[in-house]
Amino acid sequence: MMNALSGTDKAAKQTVSLEGRDISVFWRHSLQARRVTLRIDPRQAGVVVTLPPRTTREAGLALLRTHAIWVFSRLDHLPPDAPWHDGGQVLLDGRPHAIRHCPHARGGVWIEGETIMVSGEAEFMRRRLGAFLRQEARRRLSARMAQLAEQSGLRPRRLAIKDTSSRWGSCNSDGTIMLSWRLLMAPAEIQHYVIAHELAHLRHLNHGSDFWMLVASLTPHRHMAETWLRRHGPALLRMA
């Protein structure tokens, strides 16, 4: 699976004491890894340690101890959790929409102007809103991918919309493209770049010069989008 936009989503979780501070560590073995690596997982506020095959966790712990200051700094600078609640906000295509709980209304969840209305009992509000946003992401991102696929002649075998811990998109060798539903919250230009990036992988399953030339021909937003995702992506991952 090729992915320039980060990540891993399935890992074994462990609480580790690092210089007297408990942190969440997510262990992941990768057949492609050549060395032990560390990555901050913004959504789960922990550290992902990727190990090559047959490498023990002790090697990962040693790297964690060596980079403790870096780990603490990155964790301490994560955006705060942004839970959805009545009167709060959620982004759609980069534009803020107010969240309004309508306990006695019917119709589930719907959009009125720049307000998202959520009916039903308060305890189920976040779950209903989350399900609605995933459906909305599938509808909007599918349409945008179809449009760019038609223009480029690069057509995926299938589109999967998932809730990932860090990655924004990926492309499998069988032609399946995955997009994070959280892209729905990013501006349209950011969505355009991520979709173009993954479509380009249908022709070049690598990040060589030909791949980047194809990306440049598909979208003018690469550098702006990469900067935006580095700056604002962690905050999107903290929303729920």
PDB file of all heavy atoms in Angstrom, residues 9 28 81 101 115 117 124 127 145 156-157 165 168 187 192 197 209 216 227 229:
ATOM      1  N   ASP A   9      -3.069   2.276  11.093  1.00  0.00           N
ATOM      2  CA  ASP A   9      -4.309   2.385  11.843  1.00  0.00           C
ATOM      3  C   ASP A   9      -4.551   1.238  12.814  1.00  0.00           C
ATOM      4  O   ASP A   9      -5.385   1.347  13.695  1.00  0.00           O
ATOM      5  CB  ASP A   9      -5.480   2.479  10.857  1.00  0.00           C
ATOM      6  CG  ASP A   9      -5.238   3.583   9.846  1.00  0.00           C
ATOM      7  OD1 ASP A   9      -4.980   4.709  10.255  1.00  0.00           O
ATOM      8  OD2 ASP A   9      -5.287   3.273   8.661  1.00  0.00           O
ATOM      9  N   ARG A  28       3.553  -1.491  16.188  1.00  0.00           N
ATOM     10  CA  ARG A  28       3.192  -1.962  14.850  1.00  0.00           C
ATOM     11  C   ARG A  28       4.397  -2.619  14.199  1.00  0.00           C
ATOM     12  O   ARG A  28       5.485  -2.028  14.138  1.00  0.00           O
ATOM     13  CB  ARG A  28       2.730  -0.793  13.988  1.00  0.00           C
ATOM     14  CG  ARG A  28       2.522  -1.115  12.514  1.00  0.00           C
ATOM     15  CD  ARG A  28       2.069   0.123  11.756  1.00  0.00           C
ATOM     16  NE  ARG A  28       1.882  -0.153  10.335  1.00  0.00           N
ATOM     17  CZ  ARG A  28       2.766   0.127   9.386  1.00  0.00           C
ATOM     18  NH1 ARG A  28       3.907   0.715   9.684  1.00  0.00           N
ATOM     19  NH2 ARG A  28       2.524  -0.151   8.118  1.00  0.00           N
ATOM     20  N   ASP A  81      -8.729  18.163  22.483  1.00  0.00           N
ATOM     21  CA  ASP A  81      -9.896  17.461  21.966  1.00  0.00           C
ATOM     22  C   ASP A  81     -10.981  18.463  21.601  1.00  0.00           C
ATOM     23  O   ASP A  81     -11.156  19.482  22.291  1.00  0.00           O
ATOM     24  CB  ASP A  81     -10.461  16.492  23.019  1.00  0.00           C
ATOM     25  CG  ASP A  81      -9.661  15.208  23.098  1.00  0.00           C
ATOM     26  OD1 ASP A  81      -9.123  14.793  22.061  1.00  0.00           O
ATOM     27  OD2 ASP A  81      -9.569  14.636  24.190  1.00  0.00           O
ATOM     28  N   HIS A 101     -28.839  20.968  18.452  1.00  0.00           N
ATOM     29  CA  HIS A 101     -29.583  19.780  18.883  1.00  0.00           C
ATOM     30  C   HIS A 101     -31.069  20.115  18.923  1.00  0.00           C
ATOM     31  O   HIS A 101     -31.496  21.075  19.571  1.00  0.00           O
ATOM     32  CB  HIS A 101     -29.108  19.336  20.267  1.00  0.00           C
ATOM     33  CG  HIS A 101     -29.813  18.121  20.768  1.00  0.00           C
ATOM     34  ND1 HIS A 101     -30.182  17.969  22.099  1.00  0.00           N
ATOM     35  CD2 HIS A 101     -30.246  16.999  20.126  1.00  0.00           C
ATOM     36  CE1 HIS A 101     -30.788  16.806  22.246  1.00  0.00           C
ATOM     37  NE2 HIS A 101     -30.838  16.203  21.074  1.00  0.00           N
ATOM     38  N   THR A 115     -25.931  25.441   9.343  1.00  0.00           N
ATOM     39  CA  THR A 115     -26.229  24.786  10.611  1.00  0.00           C
ATOM     40  C   THR A 115     -26.546  23.326  10.354  1.00  0.00           C
ATOM     41  O   THR A 115     -27.261  22.984   9.405  1.00  0.00           O
ATOM     42  CB  THR A 115     -27.428  25.453  11.309  1.00  0.00           C
ATOM     43  OG1 THR A 115     -27.123  26.830  11.549  1.00  0.00           O
ATOM     44  CG2 THR A 115     -27.734  24.769  12.632  1.00  0.00           C
ATOM     45  N   MET A 117     -28.452  20.263  11.901  1.00  0.00           N
ATOM     46  CA  MET A 117     -29.496  19.969  12.865  1.00  0.00           C
ATOM     47  C   MET A 117     -29.439  18.493  13.221  1.00  0.00           C
ATOM     48  O   MET A 117     -29.370  17.628  12.329  1.00  0.00           O
ATOM     49  CB  MET A 117     -30.864  20.307  12.276  1.00  0.00           C
ATOM     50  CG  MET A 117     -30.909  21.603  11.464  1.00  0.00           C
ATOM     51  SD  MET A 117     -30.681  23.090  12.480  1.00  0.00           S
ATOM     52  CE  MET A 117     -32.312  23.195  13.239  1.00  0.00           C
ATOM     53  N   PHE A 124     -27.348  10.411  22.207  1.00  0.00           N
ATOM     54  CA  PHE A 124     -27.029   9.812  20.908  1.00  0.00           C
ATOM     55  C   PHE A 124     -26.614  10.852  19.870  1.00  0.00           C
ATOM     56  O   PHE A 124     -26.387  10.503  18.711  1.00  0.00           O
ATOM     57  CB  PHE A 124     -28.228   9.029  20.380  1.00  0.00           C
ATOM     58  CG  PHE A 124     -28.676   7.936  21.308  1.00  0.00           C
ATOM     59  CD1 PHE A 124     -29.943   7.955  21.863  1.00  0.00           C
ATOM     60  CD2 PHE A 124     -27.820   6.895  21.638  1.00  0.00           C
ATOM     61  CE1 PHE A 124     -30.359   6.950  22.722  1.00  0.00           C
ATOM     62  CE2 PHE A 124     -28.229   5.881  22.498  1.00  0.00           C
ATOM     63  CZ  PHE A 124     -29.490   5.911  23.042  1.00  0.00           C
ATOM     64  N   ARG A 127     -23.110  10.359  18.150  1.00  0.00           N
ATOM     65  CA  ARG A 127     -23.097   9.179  17.292  1.00  0.00           C
ATOM     66  C   ARG A 127     -23.871   9.441  16.003  1.00  0.00           C
ATOM     67  O   ARG A 127     -23.418   9.067  14.910  1.00  0.00           O
ATOM     68  CB  ARG A 127     -23.690   7.986  18.030  1.00  0.00           C
ATOM     69  CG  ARG A 127     -23.538   6.675  17.264  1.00  0.00           C
ATOM     70  CD  ARG A 127     -24.012   5.506  18.097  1.00  0.00           C
ATOM     71  NE  ARG A 127     -25.463   5.500  18.253  1.00  0.00           N
ATOM     72  CZ  ARG A 127     -26.124   4.648  19.017  1.00  0.00           C
ATOM     73  NH1 ARG A 127     -25.467   3.750  19.735  1.00  0.00           N
ATOM     74  NH2 ARG A 127     -27.443   4.687  19.095  1.00  0.00           N
ATOM     75  N   MET A 145     -14.088  12.622  -6.623  1.00  0.00           N
ATOM     76  CA  MET A 145     -13.172  11.658  -7.228  1.00  0.00           C
ATOM     77  C   MET A 145     -13.658  11.263  -8.618  1.00  0.00           C
ATOM     78  O   MET A 145     -12.852  11.136  -9.548  1.00  0.00           O
ATOM     79  CB  MET A 145     -13.021  10.425  -6.350  1.00  0.00           C
ATOM     80  CG  MET A 145     -12.197   9.332  -7.002  1.00  0.00           C
ATOM     81  SD  MET A 145     -11.596   8.091  -5.852  1.00  0.00           S
ATOM     82  CE  MET A 145     -10.270   8.995  -5.062  1.00  0.00           C
ATOM     83  N   PRO A 156     -10.319   4.444 -10.320  1.00  0.00           N
ATOM     84  CA  PRO A 156     -10.058   3.417  -9.296  1.00  0.00           C
ATOM     85  C   PRO A 156     -11.020   2.252  -9.427  1.00  0.00           C
ATOM     86  O   PRO A 156     -12.135   2.398  -9.934  1.00  0.00           O
ATOM     87  CB  PRO A 156     -10.280   4.169  -7.985  1.00  0.00           C
ATOM     88  CG  PRO A 156     -11.260   5.249  -8.346  1.00  0.00           C
ATOM     89  CD  PRO A 156     -10.924   5.654  -9.755  1.00  0.00           C
ATOM     90  N   ARG A 157     -10.584   1.109  -8.945  1.00  0.00           N
ATOM     91  CA  ARG A 157     -11.454  -0.070  -8.923  1.00  0.00           C
ATOM     92  C   ARG A 157     -12.568   0.114  -7.907  1.00  0.00           C
ATOM     93  O   ARG A 157     -13.704  -0.286  -8.129  1.00  0.00           O
ATOM     94  CB  ARG A 157     -10.620  -1.303  -8.566  1.00  0.00           C
ATOM     95  CG  ARG A 157     -11.415  -2.590  -8.387  1.00  0.00           C
ATOM     96  CD  ARG A 157     -10.482  -3.760  -8.149  1.00  0.00           C
ATOM     97  NE  ARG A 157     -11.200  -4.959  -7.770  1.00  0.00           N
ATOM     98  CZ  ARG A 157     -11.476  -5.292  -6.514  1.00  0.00           C
ATOM     99  NH1 ARG A 157     -11.076  -4.514  -5.509  1.00  0.00           N
ATOM    100  NH2 ARG A 157     -12.132  -6.401  -6.249  1.00  0.00           N
ATOM    101  N   SER A 165      -6.566   6.843  11.742  1.00  0.00           N
ATOM    102  CA  SER A 165      -5.955   7.568  12.849  1.00  0.00           C
ATOM    103  C   SER A 165      -5.000   8.656  12.380  1.00  0.00           C
ATOM    104  O   SER A 165      -4.644   9.541  13.156  1.00  0.00           O
ATOM    105  CB  SER A 165      -5.200   6.600  13.761  1.00  0.00           C
ATOM    106  OG  SER A 165      -4.136   5.982  13.056  1.00  0.00           O
ATOM    107  N   TRP A 168      -4.603  10.325   5.263  1.00  0.00           N
ATOM    108  CA  TRP A 168      -5.672  11.014   4.549  1.00  0.00           C
ATOM    109  C   TRP A 168      -6.099  10.231   3.315  1.00  0.00           C
ATOM    110  O   TRP A 168      -7.234  10.366   2.865  1.00  0.00           O
ATOM    111  CB  TRP A 168      -5.215  12.423   4.162  1.00  0.00           C
ATOM    112  CG  TRP A 168      -4.813  13.204   5.358  1.00  0.00           C
ATOM    113  CD1 TRP A 168      -3.550  13.555   5.741  1.00  0.00           C
ATOM    114  CD2 TRP A 168      -5.689  13.690   6.390  1.00  0.00           C
ATOM    115  NE1 TRP A 168      -3.580  14.226   6.937  1.00  0.00           N
ATOM    116  CE2 TRP A 168      -4.873  14.336   7.352  1.00  0.00           C
ATOM    117  CE3 TRP A 168      -7.068  13.644   6.575  1.00  0.00           C
ATOM    118  CZ2 TRP A 168      -5.421  14.927   8.493  1.00  0.00           C
ATOM    119  CZ3 TRP A 168      -7.603  14.236   7.710  1.00  0.00           C
ATOM    120  CH2 TRP A 168      -6.773  14.871   8.656  1.00  0.00           C
ATOM    121  N   PRO A 187     -10.813  22.166   3.339  1.00  0.00           N
ATOM    122  CA  PRO A 187     -11.257  22.927   2.161  1.00  0.00           C
ATOM    123  C   PRO A 187     -11.185  22.092   0.882  1.00  0.00           C
ATOM    124  O   PRO A 187     -10.438  21.114   0.791  1.00  0.00           O
ATOM    125  CB  PRO A 187     -10.270  24.099   2.112  1.00  0.00           C
ATOM    126  CG  PRO A 187      -9.796  24.255   3.522  1.00  0.00           C
ATOM    127  CD  PRO A 187      -9.744  22.860   4.080  1.00  0.00           C
ATOM    128  N   HIS A 192      -8.991  18.088  -3.220  1.00  0.00           N
ATOM    129  CA  HIS A 192      -8.572  17.915  -4.614  1.00  0.00           C
ATOM    130  C   HIS A 192      -7.162  17.341  -4.679  1.00  0.00           C
ATOM    131  O   HIS A 192      -6.892  16.413  -5.466  1.00  0.00           O
ATOM    132  CB  HIS A 192      -8.643  19.256  -5.338  1.00  0.00           C
ATOM    133  CG  HIS A 192      -8.513  19.154  -6.824  1.00  0.00           C
ATOM    134  ND1 HIS A 192      -7.295  19.176  -7.473  1.00  0.00           N
ATOM    135  CD2 HIS A 192      -9.462  19.013  -7.785  1.00  0.00           C
ATOM    136  CE1 HIS A 192      -7.491  19.063  -8.775  1.00  0.00           C
ATOM    137  NE2 HIS A 192      -8.799  18.958  -9.000  1.00  0.00           N
ATOM    138  N   HIS A 197      -3.543  12.896  -5.673  1.00  0.00           N
ATOM    139  CA  HIS A 197      -2.385  12.125  -5.213  1.00  0.00           C
ATOM    140  C   HIS A 197      -2.660  10.627  -5.307  1.00  0.00           C
ATOM    141  O   HIS A 197      -1.848   9.854  -5.833  1.00  0.00           O
ATOM    142  CB  HIS A 197      -2.075  12.529  -3.775  1.00  0.00           C
ATOM    143  CG  HIS A 197      -0.870  11.868  -3.189  1.00  0.00           C
ATOM    144  ND1 HIS A 197       0.262  12.560  -2.847  1.00  0.00           N
ATOM    145  CD2 HIS A 197      -0.615  10.565  -2.877  1.00  0.00           C
ATOM    146  CE1 HIS A 197       1.164  11.719  -2.352  1.00  0.00           C
ATOM    147  NE2 HIS A 197       0.642  10.499  -2.354  1.00  0.00           N
ATOM    148  N   SER A 209       9.895  10.467  -9.555  1.00  0.00           N
ATOM    149  CA  SER A 209       9.734  11.733 -10.273  1.00  0.00           C
ATOM    150  C   SER A 209       8.544  11.694 -11.233  1.00  0.00           C
ATOM    151  O   SER A 209       7.824  12.697 -11.395  1.00  0.00           O
ATOM    152  CB  SER A 209      11.014  12.078 -11.032  1.00  0.00           C
ATOM    153  OG  SER A 209      11.361  11.041 -11.937  1.00  0.00           O
ATOM    154  N   ALA A 216       1.416  16.845 -10.403  1.00  0.00           N
ATOM    155  CA  ALA A 216       1.433  18.267 -10.786  1.00  0.00           C
ATOM    156  C   ALA A 216       0.502  18.538 -11.964  1.00  0.00           C
ATOM    157  O   ALA A 216      -0.060  19.643 -12.074  1.00  0.00           O
ATOM    158  CB  ALA A 216       2.857  18.686 -11.128  1.00  0.00           C
ATOM    159  N   THR A 227       1.184  21.784   3.250  1.00  0.00           N
ATOM    160  CA  THR A 227       1.395  22.706   4.369  1.00  0.00           C
ATOM    161  C   THR A 227       0.147  22.783   5.244  1.00  0.00           C
ATOM    162  O   THR A 227       0.225  22.749   6.477  1.00  0.00           O
ATOM    163  CB  THR A 227       1.752  24.102   3.847  1.00  0.00           C
ATOM    164  OG1 THR A 227       2.975  24.032   3.106  1.00  0.00           O
ATOM    165  CG2 THR A 227       1.934  25.092   5.005  1.00  0.00           C
ATOM    166  N   LEU A 229      -2.243  20.545   5.646  1.00  0.00           N
ATOM    167  CA  LEU A 229      -2.459  19.301   6.383  1.00  0.00           C
ATOM    168  C   LEU A 229      -1.499  19.168   7.558  1.00  0.00           C
ATOM    169  O   LEU A 229      -1.877  18.677   8.626  1.00  0.00           O
ATOM    170  CB  LEU A 229      -2.323  18.105   5.446  1.00  0.00           C
ATOM    171  CG  LEU A 229      -3.484  17.905   4.473  1.00  0.00           C
ATOM    172  CD1 LEU A 229      -3.142  16.845   3.446  1.00  0.00           C
ATOM    173  CD2 LEU A 229      -4.767  17.547   5.216  1.00  0.00           C
TER     174      LEU A 229
END
